[in-house]
Amino acid sequence: MMSEPVSVEQRIIIKFLVCENVKPDEIYHRLLAQLEEASLSWSRVKVWCNEFKQVRECVANQAHPRRLRTSVTNENIAHVRELIERDRRFTELQISEELAVNYGSVQSIIRKQLGFRKISVCWVPRLLNDDQKSARVRISQLLRTHFEEEGEAFLHKIVTCDETWVRHYTPESKCASMQGRKKGEENSVKAKTRLSAGKVLAKVFWD
């Protein structure tokens, strides 16, 4: 963090250059060229330029009452955990509005206190039932048996075909389906939504 004397010195320079009608962008680049990493950030330079344009005289920080940080409490942490576990798709903004807690505190609770993060669900072509899974196992075993009996020649007899409906649009993106999960927690899966209209059938053959 920048020390107060260094910061005040830069404010004096900013005040002088503002009086010379130098633009904030040029002031920032002058400070950056001379002070490098010790220079005030662009946002702070802009703030101080606006302050001095409004005829502010004092270059030191003005004393002001500080509000105690009371939003990150055990009670709020418990409420946030309850909301996330009830609906993994709750956004930080929704939680903030639901609990009447400021957005920054909600972010701190979710990421630092609870260790949750947003990740996408795992997309799969479709969800198979037990019979479909068993059928695929039997077919795979049969193909393996033929390959063991006939060798490489069997592979030349196989013609593979696949077809799929290409939708004109997808109702929900992966980003929209992201859920709050802890590190190491098992991810959920979901099937892609199918629509009855606006689609094209695509078929692919290869041998």
Side-chain angles (χ1 to χ4, degrees):
M1 182 178 295
M2 189 178 302
S3 64
E4 180 65 17
V6 174
S7 180
V8 170
E9 290 173 359
Q10 294 187 54
R11 295 172 200 168
I12 295 172
I13 297 172
I14 293 172
K15 182 179 179 181
F16 172 78
L17 293 176
V18 167
C19 293
E20 294 288 321
N21 294 321
V22 180
K23 295 182 178 180
D25 185 63
E26 184 178 347
I27 294 175
Y28 168 70
H29 284 95
R30 285 193 187 184
L31 292 173
L32 187 63
Q34 297 297 325
L35 303 175
E36 298 180 347
E37 294 182 357
S39 170
L40 289 172
S41 66
W42 159 244
S43 60
R44 297 309 304 164
V45 170
K46 187 175 181 180
V47 167
W48 281 106
C49 286
N50 291 333
E51 289 283 335
F52 293 131
K53 284 180 181 178
Q54 297 173 7
V55 200
R56 172 170 175 164
E57 295 296 333
C58 181
V59 295
N61 288 327
Q62 296 178 344
H64 57 83
R66 294 185 178 273
R67 185 179 63 181
L68 294 176
R69 186 176 181 179
T70 58
S71 297
V72 183
T73 62
N74 292 334
E75 182 180 2
N76 284 336
I77 292 173
H79 287 325
V80 172
R81 183 196 299 274
E82 180 183 352
L83 288 175
I84 293 177
E85 291 179 349
R86 190 173 71 195
D87 186 351
R88 299 282 183 167
R89 296 190 183 184
F90 256 125
T91 65
E92 293 170 347
L93 181 59
Q94 289 173 326
I95 294 175
S96 175
E97 294 174 348
E98 178 78 14
L99 301 180
V101 175
N102 69 74
Y103 184 79
S105 296
V106 170
Q107 282 186 318
S108 177
I109 291 173
I110 292 175
R111 300 177 187 180
K112 296 181 180 179
Q113 305 298 325
L114 298 178
F116 280 100
R117 60 194 179 98
K118 282 283 189 177
I119 58 175
S120 299
V121 297
C122 181
W123 287 105
V124 294
R126 58 182 60 83
L127 298 177
L128 304 178
N129 57 38
D130 292 339
D131 291 338
Q132 291 171 325
K133 293 177 182 178
S134 298
R136 279 161 172 73
V137 171
R138 290 195 301 271
I139 293 172
S140 298
Q141 291 173 339
L142 180 61
L143 292 174
R144 179 178 178 180
T145 300
H146 282 294
F147 175 74
E148 291 174 348
E149 293 175 353
E150 303 180 32
E152 294 289 336
F154 172 70
L155 299 179
H156 297 291
K157 300 179 181 179
I158 298 176
V159 176
T160 304
C161 170
D162 195 11
E163 62 181 24
T164 183
W165 286 106
V166 180
R167 307 291 170 173
H168 289 181
Y169 66 94
T170 302
E172 185 180 62
S173 65
K174 290 186 67 176
C175 182
S177 64
M178 293 177 70
Q179 301 176 354
R181 295 284 178 181
K182 281 188 175 181
K183 186 176 181 180
E185 189 175 0
E186 184 178 357
N187 194 8
S188 60
V189 298
K190 65 175 292 183
K192 290 185 177 180
T193 305
R194 296 182 175 227
L195 300 177
S196 59
K199 59 185 179 180
V200 177
L201 181 62
K203 291 188 177 183
V204 180
F205 296 86
W206 66 90
D207 57 16

